[in-house]
Amino acid sequence: MTRTGRRPGDSSVTKAEILDAARLTFAEMGYESATLRRIAATAGVDVALIAHYFGNKESLFVAAHDLPINPSDIAGVLDGVSEGEVGEMITRFSLAMLAADDSPAISLMRAASTNSSAAAMLREFIDRTLIDPIAEMLDVADGRERAALVASHLLGVLFARHIVGVRELATASIDELVDAIGPTIQRYLTEPAWSASAN
Amino acid sequence: MTRTGRRPGDSSVTKAEILDAARLTFAEMGYESATLRRIAATAGVDVALIAHYFGNKESLFVAAHDLPINPSDIAGVLDGVSEGEVGEMITRFSLAMLAADDSPAISLMRAASTNSSAAAMLREFIDRTLIDPIAEMLDVADGRERAALVASHLLGVLFARHIVGVRELATASIDELVDAIGPTIQRYLTEPAWSASAN
DNA sequence: CCCATAATTCATCGCATGTTGAATTATAGC
DNA sequence: GCTATAATTCAACATGCGATGAATTATGGG
């Protein structure tokens, strides 16, 4: 029975535990349904400690989604891959890396649906993590439009598979999905221009 | 200043107005953020009237999403379209019909992110409105898997365009998007088998 | 060994929510 | 025209929320 006052023993990993609990809880239930009390309970901590460290709920959310995937991850994945395999690689990366249970991507998708500042965060995340590096790699005039189409499909697969639970996608293995979707992504990237694409 | 008691005048369109307000509000803000009081205010009605008609919030949500798109809509769209134009037609249908501001599809997507019974409703909606009719039309062994891939991409475009607001997709016209995405959808539908697809 | 400071909990506040029950007024069938 | 019933609002509730301020205990630098 922990009582009041500072805990004995080692240093403070507590802050990181709160962030982990926040990521997990936000990813499971979305922004408004994830209560500070529940996050605190998951972290084994009083709710006031969260306020002490992070001020308010929104700041906690931002802090929990700040670091964990750095935008150069995908650039690293793409580096040294032959041009014909890029679609497959991006697809595999998205299905594996972005879809872990406490992944900030899924968490952001959940939160973005009901919270406009989370939507802004997800928008920026998509830009930095997917569209920017892909467009830079492509280095063609309509690169950002192509990358946005890629992102939309990958988002849709994550959404259908992990949030909605569409059976045909939820039960498929990553390899099967990569086989099915990779070539489509590849075409969006390297197929000759399909029409006059505006903006 | 409307006071207590039954309103004078005509019959009761009030119930339908509540449903409209509910659809609109749920679509704008998601399940938990849409409060009964706000829905009531939008409908110009006291909150207790909602309880009187629909019992509780969840029943209201279900009622608001029950009828409004019937699953034969897409079948009608597909009927009499040449096989090569099906992808374009489905894409256009999704971008136009499913994405209106008070569309139950967007509303369900928002709610599904944070509410598991809404996710179940969306799952069923996708099955009935997209996967079932498409698979039936295709009439091939892996028809449901193909249809699920189609649905995932279309969902992703709606999500990126209307919920996240990815710029490249949000600013594009429907025609431009149909030009870009239609051929991809078409390939998912009619391209020869890509590999051994399981389940 | 002190003492400033950090880490932590407790108690509580104000507020918004979903829900309930009673009161009031109009409609419609007899 | 009376009366049962439907439509509607008002008032209030219990609950759970995010937030705040004070209290308590350990740590670590001088």
mmCIF file of all heavy atoms in Angstrom, chain B residues 103-154:
data_model
loop_
_atom_site.group_PDB
_atom_site.id
_atom_site.type_symbol
_atom_site.label_atom_id
_atom_site.label_comp_id
_atom_site.label_asym_id
_atom_site.label_seq_id
_atom_site.Cartn_x
_atom_site.Cartn_y
_atom_site.Cartn_z
ATOM 1 N N SER B 103 -23.203 12.273 -43.971
ATOM 2 C CA SER B 103 -23.227 10.887 -44.412
ATOM 3 C C SER B 103 -23.020 9.929 -43.251
ATOM 4 O O SER B 103 -22.141 10.124 -42.417
ATOM 5 C CB SER B 103 -22.126 10.656 -45.434
ATOM 6 O OG SER B 103 -21.724 9.303 -45.423
ATOM 7 N N PRO B 104 -23.826 8.897 -43.187
ATOM 8 C CA PRO B 104 -23.622 7.927 -42.121
ATOM 9 C C PRO B 104 -22.298 7.205 -42.231
ATOM 10 O O PRO B 104 -21.793 6.693 -41.241
ATOM 11 C CB PRO B 104 -24.793 6.960 -42.309
ATOM 12 C CG PRO B 104 -25.246 7.170 -43.706
ATOM 13 C CD PRO B 104 -24.959 8.588 -44.049
ATOM 14 N N ALA B 105 -21.700 7.196 -43.416
ATOM 15 C CA ALA B 105 -20.411 6.515 -43.556
ATOM 16 C C ALA B 105 -19.318 7.256 -42.784
ATOM 17 O O ALA B 105 -18.601 6.669 -41.979
ATOM 18 C CB ALA B 105 -20.034 6.394 -45.034
ATOM 19 N N ILE B 106 -19.210 8.552 -43.017
ATOM 20 C CA ILE B 106 -18.222 9.333 -42.273
ATOM 21 C C ILE B 106 -18.529 9.281 -40.777
ATOM 22 O O ILE B 106 -17.633 9.124 -39.935
ATOM 23 C CB ILE B 106 -18.225 10.795 -42.757
ATOM 24 C CG1 ILE B 106 -17.844 10.870 -44.230
ATOM 25 C CG2 ILE B 106 -17.274 11.629 -41.914
ATOM 26 C CD1 ILE B 106 -16.407 10.635 -44.513
ATOM 27 N N SER B 107 -19.792 9.415 -40.458
ATOM 28 C CA SER B 107 -20.186 9.366 -39.058
ATOM 29 C C SER B 107 -19.780 8.045 -38.414
ATOM 30 O O SER B 107 -19.238 8.010 -37.308
ATOM 31 C CB SER B 107 -21.697 9.554 -38.964
ATOM 32 O OG SER B 107 -22.128 9.526 -37.635
ATOM 33 N N LEU B 108 -20.031 6.956 -39.118
ATOM 34 C CA LEU B 108 -19.659 5.646 -38.590
ATOM 35 C C LEU B 108 -18.147 5.522 -38.469
ATOM 36 O O LEU B 108 -17.632 4.950 -37.512
ATOM 37 C CB LEU B 108 -20.199 4.532 -39.492
ATOM 38 C CG LEU B 108 -21.648 4.125 -39.259
ATOM 39 C CD1 LEU B 108 -22.093 3.092 -40.284
ATOM 40 C CD2 LEU B 108 -21.808 3.550 -37.860
ATOM 41 N N MET B 109 -17.414 6.064 -39.437
ATOM 42 C CA MET B 109 -15.957 5.991 -39.351
ATOM 43 C C MET B 109 -15.464 6.727 -38.107
ATOM 44 O O MET B 109 -14.609 6.230 -37.377
ATOM 45 C CB MET B 109 -15.317 6.593 -40.600
ATOM 46 C CG MET B 109 -15.449 5.716 -41.833
ATOM 47 S SD MET B 109 -14.674 6.450 -43.301
ATOM 48 C CE MET B 109 -12.947 6.229 -42.924
ATOM 49 N N ARG B 110 -16.008 7.914 -37.889
ATOM 50 C CA ARG B 110 -15.600 8.669 -36.706
ATOM 51 C C ARG B 110 -15.910 7.892 -35.440
ATOM 52 O O ARG B 110 -15.076 7.750 -34.549
ATOM 53 C CB ARG B 110 -16.336 10.010 -36.655
ATOM 54 C CG ARG B 110 -15.794 11.057 -37.576
ATOM 55 C CD ARG B 110 -15.993 12.449 -36.941
ATOM 56 N NE ARG B 110 -14.927 13.340 -37.370
ATOM 57 C CZ ARG B 110 -14.970 14.054 -38.476
ATOM 58 N NH1 ARG B 110 -16.021 13.979 -39.266
ATOM 59 N NH2 ARG B 110 -13.962 14.839 -38.804
ATOM 60 N N ALA B 111 -17.121 7.396 -35.367
ATOM 61 C CA ALA B 111 -17.532 6.730 -34.135
ATOM 62 C C ALA B 111 -16.802 5.409 -33.940
ATOM 63 O O ALA B 111 -16.462 5.027 -32.822
ATOM 64 C CB ALA B 111 -19.043 6.495 -34.152
ATOM 65 N N ALA B 112 -16.527 4.714 -35.041
ATOM 66 C CA ALA B 112 -15.912 3.397 -34.946
ATOM 67 C C ALA B 112 -14.528 3.469 -34.309
ATOM 68 O O ALA B 112 -14.065 2.506 -33.702
ATOM 69 C CB ALA B 112 -15.822 2.749 -36.324
ATOM 70 N N SER B 113 -13.902 4.604 -34.431
ATOM 71 C CA SER B 113 -12.547 4.725 -33.908
ATOM 72 C C SER B 113 -12.485 4.651 -32.397
ATOM 73 O O SER B 113 -11.460 4.299 -31.826
ATOM 74 C CB SER B 113 -11.939 6.056 -34.354
ATOM 75 O OG SER B 113 -11.885 6.108 -35.756
ATOM 76 N N THR B 114 -13.578 5.005 -31.752
ATOM 77 C CA THR B 114 -13.527 5.067 -30.301
ATOM 78 C C THR B 114 -14.572 4.199 -29.628
ATOM 79 O O THR B 114 -14.622 4.142 -28.411
ATOM 80 C CB THR B 114 -13.738 6.517 -29.807
ATOM 81 O OG1 THR B 114 -14.884 7.060 -30.464
ATOM 82 C CG2 THR B 114 -12.541 7.363 -30.137
ATOM 83 N N ASN B 115 -15.378 3.533 -30.410
ATOM 84 C CA ASN B 115 -16.508 2.835 -29.818
ATOM 85 C C ASN B 115 -16.674 1.497 -30.510
ATOM 86 O O ASN B 115 -16.939 1.432 -31.702
ATOM 87 C CB ASN B 115 -17.757 3.694 -29.980
ATOM 88 C CG ASN B 115 -18.940 3.113 -29.256
ATOM 89 O OD1 ASN B 115 -19.555 2.178 -29.767
ATOM 90 N ND2 ASN B 115 -19.241 3.629 -28.102
ATOM 91 N N SER B 116 -16.538 0.426 -29.742
ATOM 92 C CA SER B 116 -16.446 -0.875 -30.400
ATOM 93 C C SER B 116 -17.773 -1.309 -30.998
ATOM 94 O O SER B 116 -17.799 -2.029 -32.005
ATOM 95 C CB SER B 116 -15.926 -1.922 -29.419
ATOM 96 O OG SER B 116 -16.855 -2.115 -28.390
ATOM 97 N N SER B 117 -18.876 -0.872 -30.448
ATOM 98 C CA SER B 117 -20.123 -1.306 -31.072
ATOM 99 C C SER B 117 -20.373 -0.512 -32.349
ATOM 100 O O SER B 117 -20.982 -1.028 -33.296
ATOM 101 C CB SER B 117 -21.292 -1.222 -30.098
ATOM 102 O OG SER B 117 -21.566 0.103 -29.743
ATOM 103 N N ALA B 118 -19.876 0.714 -32.393
ATOM 104 C CA ALA B 118 -19.929 1.450 -33.657
ATOM 105 C C ALA B 118 -19.008 0.805 -34.688
ATOM 106 O O ALA B 118 -19.326 0.767 -35.880
ATOM 107 C CB ALA B 118 -19.552 2.907 -33.451
ATOM 108 N N ALA B 119 -17.874 0.290 -34.230
ATOM 109 C CA ALA B 119 -16.991 -0.419 -35.155
ATOM 110 C C ALA B 119 -17.695 -1.632 -35.733
ATOM 111 O O ALA B 119 -17.585 -1.918 -36.934
ATOM 112 C CB ALA B 119 -15.706 -0.837 -34.431
ATOM 113 N N ALA B 120 -18.455 -2.308 -34.898
ATOM 114 C CA ALA B 120 -19.211 -3.457 -35.402
ATOM 115 C C ALA B 120 -20.251 -3.013 -36.427
ATOM 116 O O ALA B 120 -20.447 -3.665 -37.457
ATOM 117 C CB ALA B 120 -19.888 -4.193 -34.241
ATOM 118 N N MET B 121 -20.889 -1.883 -36.156
ATOM 119 C CA MET B 121 -21.865 -1.377 -37.124
ATOM 120 C C MET B 121 -21.195 -1.035 -38.442
ATOM 121 O O MET B 121 -21.722 -1.337 -39.522
ATOM 122 C CB MET B 121 -22.562 -0.131 -36.568
ATOM 123 C CG MET B 121 -23.553 -0.407 -35.464
ATOM 124 S SD MET B 121 -24.316 1.134 -34.853
ATOM 125 C CE MET B 121 -25.105 1.745 -36.343
ATOM 126 N N LEU B 122 -20.027 -0.396 -38.370
ATOM 127 C CA LEU B 122 -19.331 -0.029 -39.599
ATOM 128 C C LEU B 122 -18.881 -1.276 -40.357
ATOM 129 O O LEU B 122 -18.958 -1.336 -41.586
ATOM 130 C CB LEU B 122 -18.131 0.862 -39.280
ATOM 131 C CG LEU B 122 -17.266 1.279 -40.474
ATOM 132 C CD1 LEU B 122 -18.102 1.964 -41.552
ATOM 133 C CD2 LEU B 122 -16.138 2.198 -40.035
ATOM 134 N N ARG B 123 -18.417 -2.251 -39.607
ATOM 135 C CA ARG B 123 -18.006 -3.505 -40.236
ATOM 136 C C ARG B 123 -19.161 -4.104 -41.034
ATOM 137 O O ARG B 123 -19.015 -4.476 -42.197
ATOM 138 C CB ARG B 123 -17.559 -4.475 -39.133
ATOM 139 C CG ARG B 123 -16.810 -5.674 -39.603
ATOM 140 C CD ARG B 123 -16.021 -6.311 -38.475
ATOM 141 N NE ARG B 123 -16.785 -6.601 -37.273
ATOM 142 C CZ ARG B 123 -16.524 -6.117 -36.072
ATOM 143 N NH1 ARG B 123 -15.502 -5.314 -35.887
ATOM 144 N NH2 ARG B 123 -17.268 -6.436 -35.031
ATOM 145 N N GLU B 124 -20.317 -4.124 -40.387
ATOM 146 C CA GLU B 124 -21.477 -4.687 -41.069
ATOM 147 C C GLU B 124 -21.891 -3.825 -42.266
ATOM 148 O O GLU B 124 -22.249 -4.334 -43.331
ATOM 149 C CB GLU B 124 -22.634 -4.792 -40.066
ATOM 150 C CG GLU B 124 -23.671 -5.815 -40.447
ATOM 151 C CD GLU B 124 -24.822 -5.809 -39.447
ATOM 152 O OE1 GLU B 124 -24.590 -5.481 -38.259
ATOM 153 O OE2 GLU B 124 -25.952 -6.106 -39.860
ATOM 154 N N PHE B 125 -21.807 -2.519 -42.070
ATOM 155 C CA PHE B 125 -22.141 -1.596 -43.154
ATOM 156 C C PHE B 125 -21.229 -1.820 -44.365
ATOM 157 O O PHE B 125 -21.694 -1.878 -45.509
ATOM 158 C CB PHE B 125 -21.996 -0.159 -42.639
ATOM 159 C CG PHE B 125 -22.245 0.905 -43.668
ATOM 160 C CD1 PHE B 125 -23.518 1.403 -43.894
ATOM 161 C CD2 PHE B 125 -21.187 1.425 -44.412
ATOM 162 C CE1 PHE B 125 -23.750 2.380 -44.847
ATOM 163 C CE2 PHE B 125 -21.404 2.418 -45.370
ATOM 164 C CZ PHE B 125 -22.693 2.887 -45.577
ATOM 165 N N ILE B 126 -19.936 -1.973 -44.110
ATOM 166 C CA ILE B 126 -18.990 -2.212 -45.206
ATOM 167 C C ILE B 126 -19.295 -3.535 -45.894
ATOM 168 O O ILE B 126 -19.293 -3.636 -47.128
ATOM 169 C CB ILE B 126 -17.548 -2.200 -44.666
ATOM 170 C CG1 ILE B 126 -17.183 -0.788 -44.215
ATOM 171 C CG2 ILE B 126 -16.560 -2.698 -45.714
ATOM 172 C CD1 ILE B 126 -15.847 -0.709 -43.484
ATOM 173 N N ASP B 127 -19.586 -4.524 -45.089
ATOM 174 C CA ASP B 127 -19.954 -5.816 -45.675
ATOM 175 C C ASP B 127 -21.176 -5.678 -46.585
ATOM 176 O O ASP B 127 -21.148 -6.090 -47.745
ATOM 177 C CB ASP B 127 -20.256 -6.830 -44.556
ATOM 178 C CG ASP B 127 -19.009 -7.536 -44.061
ATOM 179 O OD1 ASP B 127 -17.916 -7.238 -44.599
ATOM 180 O OD2 ASP B 127 -19.114 -8.364 -43.146
ATOM 181 N N ARG B 128 -22.223 -5.096 -46.060
ATOM 182 C CA ARG B 128 -23.490 -5.062 -46.792
ATOM 183 C C ARG B 128 -23.453 -4.111 -47.969
ATOM 184 O O ARG B 128 -24.038 -4.365 -49.023
ATOM 185 C CB ARG B 128 -24.634 -4.637 -45.859
ATOM 186 C CG ARG B 128 -25.037 -5.679 -44.839
ATOM 187 C CD ARG B 128 -26.504 -5.468 -44.435
ATOM 188 N NE ARG B 128 -26.902 -4.058 -44.589
ATOM 189 C CZ ARG B 128 -27.031 -3.198 -43.587
ATOM 190 N NH1 ARG B 128 -26.808 -3.591 -42.362
ATOM 191 N NH2 ARG B 128 -27.405 -1.951 -43.823
ATOM 192 N N THR B 129 -22.759 -2.976 -47.775
ATOM 193 C CA THR B 129 -22.832 -1.925 -48.790
ATOM 194 C C THR B 129 -21.753 -2.053 -49.844
ATOM 195 O O THR B 129 -21.936 -1.647 -50.986
ATOM 196 C CB THR B 129 -22.719 -0.540 -48.114
ATOM 197 O OG1 THR B 129 -23.697 -0.447 -47.095
ATOM 198 C CG2 THR B 129 -22.917 0.569 -49.123
ATOM 199 N N LEU B 130 -20.596 -2.593 -49.487
ATOM 200 C CA LEU B 130 -19.500 -2.671 -50.449
ATOM 201 C C LEU B 130 -19.123 -4.116 -50.773
ATOM 202 O O LEU B 130 -19.227 -4.548 -51.927
ATOM 203 C CB LEU B 130 -18.272 -1.916 -49.923
ATOM 204 C CG LEU B 130 -18.362 -0.390 -49.870
ATOM 205 C CD1 LEU B 130 -17.127 0.201 -49.210
ATOM 206 C CD2 LEU B 130 -18.529 0.178 -51.289
ATOM 207 N N ILE B 131 -18.683 -4.849 -49.771
ATOM 208 C CA ILE B 131 -18.086 -6.150 -50.050
ATOM 209 C C ILE B 131 -19.104 -7.133 -50.627
ATOM 210 O O ILE B 131 -18.846 -7.770 -51.652
ATOM 211 C CB ILE B 131 -17.422 -6.718 -48.781
ATOM 212 C CG1 ILE B 131 -16.312 -5.756 -48.316
ATOM 213 C CG2 ILE B 131 -16.840 -8.095 -49.064
ATOM 214 C CD1 ILE B 131 -15.486 -6.270 -47.178
ATOM 215 N N ASP B 132 -20.263 -7.245 -50.001
ATOM 216 C CA ASP B 132 -21.250 -8.197 -50.497
ATOM 217 C C ASP B 132 -21.637 -7.946 -51.952
ATOM 218 O O ASP B 132 -21.491 -8.846 -52.787
ATOM 219 C CB ASP B 132 -22.500 -8.181 -49.602
ATOM 220 C CG ASP B 132 -22.277 -8.922 -48.285
ATOM 221 O OD1 ASP B 132 -21.253 -9.615 -48.175
ATOM 222 O OD2 ASP B 132 -23.120 -8.811 -47.385
ATOM 223 N N PRO B 133 -22.101 -6.759 -52.295
ATOM 224 C CA PRO B 133 -22.508 -6.574 -53.696
ATOM 225 C C PRO B 133 -21.357 -6.686 -54.685
ATOM 226 O O PRO B 133 -21.537 -7.236 -55.788
ATOM 227 C CB PRO B 133 -23.126 -5.172 -53.715
ATOM 228 C CG PRO B 133 -22.753 -4.525 -52.441
ATOM 229 C CD PRO B 133 -22.449 -5.588 -51.463
ATOM 230 N N ILE B 134 -20.186 -6.204 -54.311
ATOM 231 C CA ILE B 134 -19.061 -6.303 -55.240
ATOM 232 C C ILE B 134 -18.668 -7.757 -55.454
ATOM 233 O O ILE B 134 -18.475 -8.210 -56.589
ATOM 234 C CB ILE B 134 -17.857 -5.492 -54.709
ATOM 235 C CG1 ILE B 134 -18.169 -3.991 -54.752
ATOM 236 C CG2 ILE B 134 -16.606 -5.785 -55.535
ATOM 237 C CD1 ILE B 134 -17.062 -3.123 -54.177
ATOM 238 N N ALA B 135 -18.578 -8.501 -54.364
ATOM 239 C CA ALA B 135 -18.187 -9.908 -54.492
ATOM 240 C C ALA B 135 -19.223 -10.683 -55.297
ATOM 241 O O ALA B 135 -18.875 -11.538 -56.124
ATOM 242 C CB ALA B 135 -18.009 -10.523 -53.109
ATOM 243 N N GLU B 136 -20.470 -10.348 -55.066
ATOM 244 C CA GLU B 136 -21.515 -11.045 -55.813
ATOM 245 C C GLU B 136 -21.410 -10.740 -57.299
ATOM 246 O O GLU B 136 -21.545 -11.634 -58.148
ATOM 247 C CB GLU B 136 -22.895 -10.627 -55.277
ATOM 248 C CG GLU B 136 -24.033 -11.405 -55.915
ATOM 249 C CD GLU B 136 -25.383 -10.965 -55.354
ATOM 250 O OE1 GLU B 136 -25.395 -10.059 -54.481
ATOM 251 O OE2 GLU B 136 -26.410 -11.491 -55.780
ATOM 252 N N MET B 137 -21.122 -9.499 -57.614
ATOM 253 C CA MET B 137 -20.991 -9.122 -59.017
ATOM 254 C C MET B 137 -19.794 -9.821 -59.659
ATOM 255 O O MET B 137 -19.889 -10.319 -60.781
ATOM 256 C CB MET B 137 -20.829 -7.603 -59.116
ATOM 257 C CG MET B 137 -20.599 -7.100 -60.520
ATOM 258 S SD MET B 137 -19.837 -5.446 -60.511
ATOM 259 C CE MET B 137 -18.191 -5.835 -59.956
ATOM 260 N N LEU B 138 -18.683 -9.844 -58.919
ATOM 261 C CA LEU B 138 -17.475 -10.450 -59.487
ATOM 262 C C LEU B 138 -17.675 -11.937 -59.742
ATOM 263 O O LEU B 138 -17.269 -12.465 -60.782
ATOM 264 C CB LEU B 138 -16.284 -10.256 -58.541
ATOM 265 C CG LEU B 138 -15.774 -8.822 -58.399
ATOM 266 C CD1 LEU B 138 -14.574 -8.784 -57.467
ATOM 267 C CD2 LEU B 138 -15.420 -8.230 -59.758
ATOM 268 N N ASP B 139 -18.253 -12.599 -58.732
ATOM 269 C CA ASP B 139 -18.541 -14.023 -58.875
ATOM 270 C C ASP B 139 -17.284 -14.827 -59.209
ATOM 271 O O ASP B 139 -17.270 -15.623 -60.138
ATOM 272 C CB ASP B 139 -19.623 -14.240 -59.952
ATOM 273 C CG ASP B 139 -20.214 -15.636 -59.853
ATOM 274 O OD1 ASP B 139 -20.217 -16.205 -58.755
ATOM 275 O OD2 ASP B 139 -20.651 -16.158 -60.901
ATOM 276 N N VAL B 140 -16.232 -14.589 -58.452
ATOM 277 C CA VAL B 140 -15.019 -15.396 -58.568
ATOM 278 C C VAL B 140 -14.627 -15.877 -57.175
ATOM 279 O O VAL B 140 -15.151 -15.398 -56.170
ATOM 280 C CB VAL B 140 -13.843 -14.598 -59.180
ATOM 281 C CG1 VAL B 140 -14.146 -14.232 -60.613
ATOM 282 C CG2 VAL B 140 -13.554 -13.365 -58.352
ATOM 283 N N ALA B 141 -13.678 -16.796 -57.123
ATOM 284 C CA ALA B 141 -13.343 -17.442 -55.849
ATOM 285 C C ALA B 141 -12.849 -16.438 -54.808
ATOM 286 O O ALA B 141 -13.259 -16.479 -53.650
ATOM 287 C CB ALA B 141 -12.290 -18.523 -56.077
ATOM 288 N N ASP B 142 -11.961 -15.547 -55.230
ATOM 289 C CA ASP B 142 -11.402 -14.603 -54.264
ATOM 290 C C ASP B 142 -12.118 -13.254 -54.301
ATOM 291 O O ASP B 142 -11.532 -12.221 -53.980
ATOM 292 C CB ASP B 142 -9.901 -14.429 -54.508
ATOM 293 C CG ASP B 142 -9.611 -13.975 -55.944
ATOM 294 O OD1 ASP B 142 -10.559 -13.911 -56.747
ATOM 295 O OD2 ASP B 142 -8.438 -13.682 -56.239
ATOM 296 N N GLY B 143 -13.383 -13.291 -54.639
ATOM 297 C CA GLY B 143 -14.135 -12.054 -54.788
ATOM 298 C C GLY B 143 -14.187 -11.222 -53.515
ATOM 299 O O GLY B 143 -14.046 -9.999 -53.561
ATOM 300 N N ARG B 144 -14.372 -11.851 -52.384
ATOM 301 C CA ARG B 144 -14.484 -11.090 -51.135
ATOM 302 C C ARG B 144 -13.154 -10.441 -50.766
ATOM 303 O O ARG B 144 -13.131 -9.325 -50.232
ATOM 304 C CB ARG B 144 -14.972 -11.979 -49.998
ATOM 305 C CG ARG B 144 -16.388 -12.479 -50.192
ATOM 306 C CD ARG B 144 -16.929 -13.135 -48.931
ATOM 307 N NE ARG B 144 -17.081 -12.181 -47.837
ATOM 308 C CZ ARG B 144 -18.125 -11.370 -47.711
ATOM 309 N NH1 ARG B 144 -19.095 -11.409 -48.594
ATOM 310 N NH2 ARG B 144 -18.183 -10.530 -46.702
ATOM 311 N N GLU B 145 -12.065 -11.134 -51.023
ATOM 312 C CA GLU B 145 -10.756 -10.542 -50.727
ATOM 313 C C GLU B 145 -10.509 -9.333 -51.635
ATOM 314 O O GLU B 145 -10.045 -8.283 -51.181
ATOM 315 C CB GLU B 145 -9.634 -11.568 -50.904
ATOM 316 C CG GLU B 145 -9.539 -12.584 -49.774
ATOM 317 C CD GLU B 145 -10.638 -13.644 -49.843
ATOM 318 O OE1 GLU B 145 -11.150 -13.907 -50.959
ATOM 319 O OE2 GLU B 145 -11.009 -14.181 -48.786
ATOM 320 N N ARG B 146 -10.813 -9.507 -52.904
ATOM 321 C CA ARG B 146 -10.683 -8.362 -53.816
ATOM 322 C C ARG B 146 -11.554 -7.198 -53.345
ATOM 323 O O ARG B 146 -11.106 -6.042 -53.301
ATOM 324 C CB ARG B 146 -11.093 -8.778 -55.233
ATOM 325 C CG ARG B 146 -10.110 -9.717 -55.920
ATOM 326 C CD ARG B 146 -10.708 -10.257 -57.223
ATOM 327 N NE ARG B 146 -9.793 -11.176 -57.896
ATOM 328 C CZ ARG B 146 -8.958 -10.819 -58.871
ATOM 329 N NH1 ARG B 146 -8.941 -9.557 -59.277
ATOM 330 N NH2 ARG B 146 -8.149 -11.696 -59.422
ATOM 331 N N ALA B 147 -12.783 -7.493 -53.020
ATOM 332 C CA ALA B 147 -13.697 -6.430 -52.587
ATOM 333 C C ALA B 147 -13.204 -5.766 -51.308
ATOM 334 O O ALA B 147 -13.345 -4.547 -51.126
ATOM 335 C CB ALA B 147 -15.103 -6.997 -52.382
ATOM 336 N N ALA B 148 -12.608 -6.551 -50.415
ATOM 337 C CA ALA B 148 -12.104 -5.970 -49.171
ATOM 338 C C ALA B 148 -10.949 -5.022 -49.443
ATOM 339 O O ALA B 148 -10.816 -3.971 -48.793
ATOM 340 C CB ALA B 148 -11.676 -7.081 -48.211
ATOM 341 N N LEU B 149 -10.115 -5.365 -50.412
ATOM 342 C CA LEU B 149 -9.016 -4.466 -50.770
ATOM 343 C C LEU B 149 -9.567 -3.172 -51.361
ATOM 344 O O LEU B 149 -9.093 -2.072 -51.038
ATOM 345 C CB LEU B 149 -8.080 -5.154 -51.768
ATOM 346 C CG LEU B 149 -7.261 -6.307 -51.181
ATOM 347 C CD1 LEU B 149 -6.534 -7.059 -52.281
ATOM 348 C CD2 LEU B 149 -6.273 -5.797 -50.144
ATOM 349 N N VAL B 150 -10.573 -3.308 -52.197
ATOM 350 C CA VAL B 150 -11.230 -2.123 -52.746
ATOM 351 C C VAL B 150 -11.777 -1.251 -51.623
ATOM 352 O O VAL B 150 -11.526 -0.040 -51.551
ATOM 353 C CB VAL B 150 -12.370 -2.543 -53.699
ATOM 354 C CG1 VAL B 150 -13.275 -1.362 -54.008
ATOM 355 C CG2 VAL B 150 -11.795 -3.138 -54.974
ATOM 356 N N ALA B 151 -12.500 -1.900 -50.708
ATOM 357 C CA ALA B 151 -13.104 -1.152 -49.603
ATOM 358 C C ALA B 151 -12.028 -0.457 -48.775
ATOM 359 O O ALA B 151 -12.201 0.699 -48.364
ATOM 360 C CB ALA B 151 -13.936 -2.085 -48.730
ATOM 361 N N SER B 152 -10.927 -1.139 -48.529
ATOM 362 C CA SER B 152 -9.893 -0.532 -47.698
ATOM 363 C C SER B 152 -9.329 0.725 -48.350
ATOM 364 O O SER B 152 -9.096 1.734 -47.688
ATOM 365 C CB SER B 152 -8.778 -1.534 -47.412
ATOM 366 O OG SER B 152 -7.894 -1.646 -48.515
ATOM 367 N N HIS B 153 -9.132 0.672 -49.652
ATOM 368 C CA HIS B 153 -8.598 1.863 -50.316
ATOM 369 C C HIS B 153 -9.609 3.005 -50.284
ATOM 370 O O HIS B 153 -9.259 4.146 -49.976
ATOM 371 C CB HIS B 153 -8.216 1.538 -51.753
ATOM 372 C CG HIS B 153 -7.352 2.586 -52.385
ATOM 373 N ND1 HIS B 153 -6.759 2.431 -53.605
ATOM 374 C CD2 HIS B 153 -6.976 3.815 -51.974
ATOM 375 C CE1 HIS B 153 -6.062 3.514 -53.905
ATOM 376 N NE2 HIS B 153 -6.177 4.369 -52.941
ATOM 377 N N LEU B 154 -10.848 2.692 -50.560
ATOM 378 C CA LEU B 154 -11.858 3.750 -50.564
ATOM 379 C C LEU B 154 -12.035 4.335 -49.166
ATOM 380 O O LEU B 154 -12.122 5.561 -48.989
ATOM 381 C CB LEU B 154 -13.186 3.196 -51.096
ATOM 382 C CG LEU B 154 -13.122 2.737 -52.557
ATOM 383 C CD1 LEU B 154 -14.439 2.108 -52.988
ATOM 384 C CD2 LEU B 154 -12.755 3.904 -53.478
#
